[in-house]
Amino acid sequence: MAFSPGPMCALVGEASAGKSNLLAAIRAVLDPAASPLTAADVAEDGDGEISIGIRLADGSEARLEGTPERNALTGGANAPPTLFLPAEERAGPARAAWKPSGKGPAAGIFEQAFAKETSSPAGTALAVLEAVESCRSEGLAGLVFLIEEPELYLRPQAQRYLYRLLREFSLAGNQVIYSTHSPAFLNVTRLDELVFVERHAGTGTRALQPEPVSADEDFRVMTEFDAARSELFLARAAVLVEGLTEKLVLPFVFSALGYDVDREAISIIECGGKPNIPLFARICRATGIPFVVVHDSDKKASGRLAPAERALNALIADTAGEEAVIVLDPDFEAVAGLTGHRRKPERAWKEFAQRAPSEMPAALVRVAETAVSLGRQRQR
């Protein structure tokens, strides 16, 4: 497996997918004295051998090869200083005794911050934030900063602030690589910063790096994606819908079939209108997230489609793939058996909250079944 992290890199994936292993592998090469290999670093079904190669900024390569007991590092004379911040040392009782393994000014800044804030995990989380502030203000450069779950014990506002701090720190000549389960640390306008880590039985761990969005789409993506929509990067599967009504109703359909959308790790993403669906579908395809699209056909009473609607429907089918699209004909109201458009989200929510499983529309049942199947296939 190989991946190419830039100045800022977020590792995203299921628990036990291998995110922490990637951070440990980088640290093992850049700071072998502080992170000796153990038997746990070797795949159970492997031959006991380890081979980790890293290409440095100057073009040279550092490589660690061998077994946990006997290994050798070649190259790496110009390896940058590394600071590793594991999650367990910030959450458990050992946090009071934790000290950074790295060397140099950054390690000293973090050590001082942690020495002052060890009374609670929340205090330790603020110490991380303050230490990054200090590193940035002192203009430190040339550091590789590895951190597991930077969001730990931080409220949403502090998470967004820390993400901005880390981004500024990376732009100042450092490299920041972190694993996360928080949408606040996932920048959809910089898809090239995301690495999706998956573990498959038989083939092991793989890393997917999506292509960045085009310059023309940057502003649209920035304005359309909030934390709720960025949640799709952490989902096993996504359902892309036109608006709020479908987003409110579909959980009742899942529940009627015996599924809980949160338990299944499925995100129902309201795209802010049918014209935005192709954008969301392209992002899902780029990031390898399984998805199903639901939209109205918007046929007129005569059964015909306006040219603009025909073109948009064709664009959605072409972008998402016809197999991933479920069309409600002519619209959600007709399929759901609702009349009128006034206060539609509220009326639909109340109606579906009281419906029996046998009363759920077949098209929406197909949406739920498809999404669950996609998510469970990805989990295996």
Side-chain angles (χ1 to χ4, degrees), residues 195-212:
V195 173
F196 293 84
V197 183
E198 295 182 340
R199 175 167 290 168
H200 298 274
T203 58
T205 299
R206 70 166 188 148
L208 169 67
Q209 288 186 269
E211 294 292 327

Side-chain angles (χ1 to χ4, degrees), residues 127-279:
V128 173
L129 192 151
E130 291 170 3
V132 176
E133 280 183 324
S134 297
C135 289
R136 182 197 59 172
S137 63
E138 293 194 17
L140 300 186
L143 175 74
V144 173
F145 184 29
L146 309 174
I147 178 170
E148 292 180 328
E149 302 179 41
E151 67 270 18
L152 278 182
Y153 299 103
L154 289 176
R155 64 183 67 196
Q157 298 86 345
Q159 290 184 30
R160 292 194 294 269
Y161 177 56
L162 178 55
Y163 171 77
R164 292 200 302 274
L165 283 177
L166 291 174
R167 172 162 260 286
E168 291 172 9
F169 189 56
S170 72
L171 294 174
N174 301 285
Q175 187 171 41
V176 180
I177 306 175
Y178 58 91
S179 61
T180 184
H181 292 98
S182 170
F185 287 87
L186 305 177
N187 189 341
V188 71
T189 61
R190 297 301 305 271
L191 290 183
D192 53 315
E193 292 181 355
L194 309 185
V195 173
F196 293 84
V197 183
E198 295 182 340
R199 175 167 290 168
H200 298 274
T203 58
T205 299
R206 70 166 188 148
L208 169 67
Q209 288 186 269
E211 294 292 327
V213 296
S214 69
D216 292 339
E217 289 182 321
D218 267 354
F219 182 73
R220 274 192 69 203
V221 171
M222 182 177 66
T223 55
E224 296 296 344
F225 270 79
D226 52 17
R229 288 167 176 163
S230 294
E231 177 189 299
L232 76 85
F233 296 126
L234 304 168
R236 291 192 188 126
V239 180
L240 307 183
V241 301
E242 292 188 36
L244 180 60
T245 302
E246 298 93 321
K247 181 179 175 67
L248 292 175
V249 161
L250 276 170
F252 293 115
V253 181
F254 280 84
S255 180
L257 298 174
Y259 305 124
D260 185 298
V261 288
D262 294 327
R263 180 69 178 84
E264 298 289 337
I266 293 170
S267 289
I268 301 172
I269 304 297
E270 180 262 308
C271 297
K274 186 175 171 182
N276 284 335
I277 289 178
L279 172 64

Side-chain angles (χ1 to χ4, degrees), residues 19 47 92 101 105 111 179 225 250 261 269 277 284 328-329 331 334-335:
K19 303 182 297 298
D47 58 6
S101 62
E111 187 171 346
S179 61
F225 270 79
L250 276 170
V261 288
I269 304 297
I277 289 178
C284 284
L328 306 181
D329 196 18
D331 54 27
V335 168

